[in-house]
Amino acid sequence: MRIRKELFADERRDDFREVGVGRQRADALGHVTARSQYYDDRRIAGMLHMKLVRSPHHHARIRAIDMSAAERLPGVKRIITAKDVPNNLYTVLALINVGIPDEPALAFDKVRYKGEPIVAVVADSERAACEAVARVRVDYDPLAAVFDVEDALKSGAPLVNEYHGRNTFNYEGRDHQRVRFGDVERAFAQADHVIEERYQMSPIEHAPTEPQGCIAVPADDHRITCYTNTQALFFSLDVTAMILKVSPDKLHFIGGTVGGGFGGKVDTLVEPLCILGAMLTNRPVRLAFSREEEMQAGPPRGAERIFIKDGVMKDGRIVARYMRIYEDSGAYSRLSPYGAVKAAAHCPGPYSIPNVFCDAYCVYTNRTPSTAMRGFGVTASDFAIEVQMDKLARLVGMNPFEFRILNAYRDGDTKAHRKKTEGAALIECVLAAADLANVPIADSYRTMSSRQGGGAAPGAMPATPPARPQPGVQRPAAGDRLASIFGERRR
Amino acid sequence: MQTPVQFRLNDEERAEFVDSGARLLGLLRDKVGVTSPKSGCQQGTCGCCTVLIDGAPYLSCLVLAETCAGKSIETVEGLAKGTAYHPLQLAFMEHFAAQCGYCTSGMLMAAKALLDRNANPTRADVIDAICGNVCRCTGYQPIIEAILAAAKRGVARTA
Amino acid sequence: MAKRRGRGMAAVNYPTGMNLGGDPSQALVHATPGGKFMVSLSSIDLGQGMKSVVRQICAEALGVPSDEVHVDTADSDTGPHCMGSFASRGTHRVGNAVIMAANEARAVLIEAAAEKLEVNAADLVTDGKGNIHVRGAPGRAISVRDAAIAAQFEQGRTIAGRGIFLVPRSYPDMETGAMEPSTCYAHACVVADVEVDDETGEVVVLSIKSAYEVGRAINPKMVEQQLVGGTWMGMSHALYETTEPYYPDRSHAPRDFNEYLMPGPGDICDVDLVVLERPAPDGPYGAKGIGEMCATPPIPAIANAIFDAVGVRVDEMPFTPEKVLRGIKALRAR
């Protein structure tokens, strides 16, 4: 890996003693000697084990729960249902005052996704807990389920989450988060080419090698200590306090060394029930997801369906971008309402486009609730945007690198969110990558930069497309630039 | 009904009582207190629990503890000799081959099994040796480089 | 009946921190009696290297060697509040909090040294090796250790500091979407070269060449770890991963690593990296967050490379052999 120190050198000091040095990691020795202590690398005397009864149905009413056979099993200490949870209905985003309580810690009247937890069993061994789980009998009335985000929005679709009253999150009276900048319809009418495409990302599992879990231990001071692999210590502590209706200072969370997270260890799915188990039995309790639970009951990256419609001029300038984003939240909100806003915030990508329209929906379906994952609100959009950019570049016959540079945002440009662009560096990255890949770039593009006025800079964006190309920028004939980039690569 | 099992662990004699059906992973972590082998899947698909039994790599989550009678088991805890770290440990540090560290124990033991029988592995040999160990963080390249570097440095040491 | 090569690229940016801000982190720094330093946090290291990066940032701000700084995390009793490790916020938010705390601690340290040396605090500098001396006169010096001992046992000072960093929360205009998602953005451009087997639809990534703009590489070796690992995950997302292969149909859901496919060590490619640094004005030494950005651009770069190779647009992730092959057959049928 090389650092191109000469770029932006005038904006930096490079004379630090520690910063910029490739020092050995603080945890390197711990990792190679197995002295790094993960939450589960401790055994506490008298520890009990919790396992969860999960719904086999995507959507069903719960008619009855029969725990008698499970209760009789030797080794079973306590069986916990919804009525044992002090504040069973919650939403994690309540901590930042977003959303409404829409998810039960343990289901009571309905299950809304396959894998939803209904009963928690605490036993003196994992084996006894698993056997007890198998003996809990739940009677269900299956209900019609909806799995497709656009189907979920149609009238007559099964209602996934009654707390929302419809299958979309309510953004202050609207069913979507919006961005409105300029006038896309007018720009489309004046554009030389208009294309509309559809993109789809299916759910993706975080798959950290360490599954989520925690150990809750009654402490010496009427508090509970919880060893956990959460990615957000106080966030999880506060969610737990909210669900268990205890003062947060009653909880002592210890963690900090986690075997991978990637966003999947924020939802706080183990601590509340595990700590409740410890409180009710007055014994240490461990709750750890199996790999199968991690894969299918634990939250995935939410699927997204994205429609992008772009208007582009013959000279390569994108004059309008319309994006409609459907984020598949699954059965409950979790972090998805925030994710849809982040998706709206990310559009139209790092480009100065004078007319931008975005509607981002957070949609409920009968699947495992989704959550943040590396690139939350962005990954699907970047997939869609950058494939779209490739389509546009080929449509106008431009080298894809030069096409990016032409449309790239520059310092001083007004973004679709009405903020001034600062600290842009897309152009420099594109040029640096082109150099690395030996891609020829025309001189007129090589001299462009992200800094204010840095070559063919769009500057203050007009609301309508320009009448003619900007002076000073070469416009290649359709097709020839493309051939010279990729010619040597084709057979 | 518990069965007594005697075995060697990192060159020391051990004796434990195990439940029938108990796995070696649980025996090591819960009874003996050796926590280097990690629980990643409990079904033999991730490699985080890899230990050596009589020099060969095994997924300890699938090994019945009872079958370890008379065997010699090696884990990460036995790699260092006093203050002398194993060349693999040094190489993993030098090559930044660990991020979250959860797969590292399994990787080290799989790599040790390789280098103990093949002091001069090719890149393909290394890949073959670790292809049963999932890493979600590093992208594998630093791990491969570390193992090749450790081989170059030489694993032959005074006992 | 051929293996066809293609090249694709993608260019992206990525916001640092929780969208719209409002995500504080705090840090506490104090000197031990022997003149070493402890940083108390409740921040999480999930492998991205929080503990390591904090140590270096704190050492830089204090003016001491990084191996004389220890990071204690995460304990909710002793570590002050941190929002958590997500949204590429860690280095930026926690780093800034640490600098603030370290600056306060450093000021007390320098005052203690100034009193011992009987000079003005403004005339003192740290040498980064454990000593404090008069600027331009390295002979007039005191060790950090001695200054710490004097502070505690002679002068009655606490060499300690508190820090917090908070980007005030922005609220979107519900009509226009006007909002401030982030105070700084990192950038990337990825070029992917692939080979597509036009009989099986299998895609092999031959190489990935990338340029990343990261604000400031606090620890270049760890930045490289992140970029290489993220590139792998991006490739994995692009070609292999899904919990619902027939989304929105929920059937055939993978339950374990046998069924949930990811590239193994034999499936990786050469990764060439170039890093640029355009410091964020509000970043710790200019650093931006990059932990998520590195996993994103390989996906469209690979999609575009597949099109370049065989003329097939796979607009649905992951780009499995089945989807590619269906596309190839559809082209031939025209």
Side-chain angles (χ1 to χ4, degrees), chain A residues 80-149:
Chain A
I80 299 168
T81 61
K83 61 174 168 36
D84 298 310
V85 184
N87 187 22
N88 193 39
L89 200 69
Y90 74 103
T91 187
V92 294
L93 285 182
L95 293 192
I96 58 168
N97 297 316
V98 171
I100 55 165
D102 74 344
E103 178 169 9
L106 287 174
F108 52 100
D109 59 345
K110 230 187 127 180
V111 288
R112 297 178 177 85
Y113 68 97
K114 182 175 171 184
E116 180 162 4
I118 305 156
V119 174
V121 175
V122 184
D124 59 13
S125 70
E126 274 192 81
R127 182 173 184 165
C130 288
E131 286 192 16
V133 160
R135 289 173 192 219
V136 172
R137 291 254 304 279
V138 185
D139 289 335
Y140 301 95
D141 281 331
L143 300 168
V146 60
F147 299 112
D148 182 279
V149 287

Side-chain angles (χ1 to χ4, degrees), chain A residues 118-365:
Chain A
I118 305 156
V119 174
V121 175
V122 184
D124 59 13
S125 70
E126 274 192 81
R127 182 173 184 165
C130 288
E131 286 192 16
V133 160
R135 289 173 192 219
V136 172
R137 291 254 304 279
V138 185
D139 289 335
Y140 301 95
D141 281 331
L143 300 168
V146 60
F147 299 112
D148 182 279
V149 287
E150 288 180 278
D151 286 349
L153 296 179
K154 293 185 182 141
S155 73
L159 181 60
V160 173
N161 194 310
E162 291 76 5
Y163 302 105
H164 293 282
R166 58 183 182 185
N167 289 335
T168 49
F169 181 80
N170 180 3
Y171 289 101
E172 295 186 28
R174 278 209 193 91
D175 63 355
H176 58 277
Q177 176 70 52
R178 58 169 52 176
V179 177
R180 301 284 186 269
F181 185 69
D183 184 343
V184 290
E185 291 306 327
R186 189 156 156 226
F188 285 140
Q190 293 175 338
D192 291 327
H193 303 284
V194 174
I195 67 170
E196 181 165 8
E197 302 284 296
R198 174 192 183 276
Y199 300 92
Q200 178 75 62
M201 177 178 76
S202 56
I204 295 172
E205 160 54 20
H206 309 78
T209 48
E210 182 201 33
Q212 56 199 284
C214 68
I215 300 174
V217 185
D220 58 358
D221 56 359
H222 301 284
R223 300 199 302 155
I224 302 268
T225 302
C226 184
Y227 302 99
T228 160
N229 60 15
T230 177
Q231 291 181 224
L233 202 76
F234 272 96
F235 185 85
S236 291
L237 188 156
D238 288 339
V239 168
T240 302
M242 177 171 67
I243 293 171
L244 300 184
K245 259 201 176 136
V246 296
S247 172
D249 72 306
K250 286 275 178 266
L251 303 173
H252 180 191
F253 274 39
I254 296 176
T257 299
V258 173
F262 312 109
K265 289 173 175 166
V266 179
D267 284 17
T268 315
L269 296 175
V270 291
E271 294 89 343
L273 292 173
C274 186
I275 290 173
L276 181 60
M279 287 173 169
L280 294 174
T281 60
N282 204 21
R283 295 269 297 270
V285 176
R286 174 180 180 270
L287 172 59
F289 274 22
S290 68
R291 181 53 63 180
E292 182 169 352
E293 283 178 304
E294 190 67 46
M295 282 273 170
Q296 288 293 331
R301 183 201 291 282
E304 288 188 43
R305 181 170 304 158
I306 298 176
F307 295 88
I308 308 185
K309 181 175 176 183
D310 286 334
V312 67
M313 307 305 282
K314 282 199 282 277
D315 64 13
R317 296 276 304 276
I318 303 169
V319 293
R321 172 158 287 168
Y322 164 100
M323 289 182 74
R324 201 165 78 248
I325 302 170
Y326 297 106
E327 190 194 25
D328 189 340
S329 183
Y332 299 108
S333 294
R334 304 266 175 95
L335 304 176
S336 296
Y338 154 93
V341 178
K342 190 169 178 189
H346 191 66
C347 81
Y351 304 107
S352 285
I353 297 174
N355 303 281
V356 175
F357 180 114
C358 179
D359 281 345
Y361 295 80
C362 170
V363 184
Y364 301 108
T365 61

Side-chain angles (χ1 to χ4, degrees), chain A residues 364-399:
Chain A
Y364 301 108
T365 61
N366 288 110
R367 62 170 34 81
T368 314
S370 60
T371 191
M373 187 178 181
R374 202 174 192 178
F376 192 32
V378 171
T379 301
S381 289
D382 278 352
F383 162 56
I385 289 169
E386 285 303 294
V387 172
Q388 186 90 338
M389 293 297 278
D390 194 64
K391 292 174 182 172
L392 290 169
R394 289 171 185 269
L395 187 62
V396 298
M398 273 184 80
N399 168 333

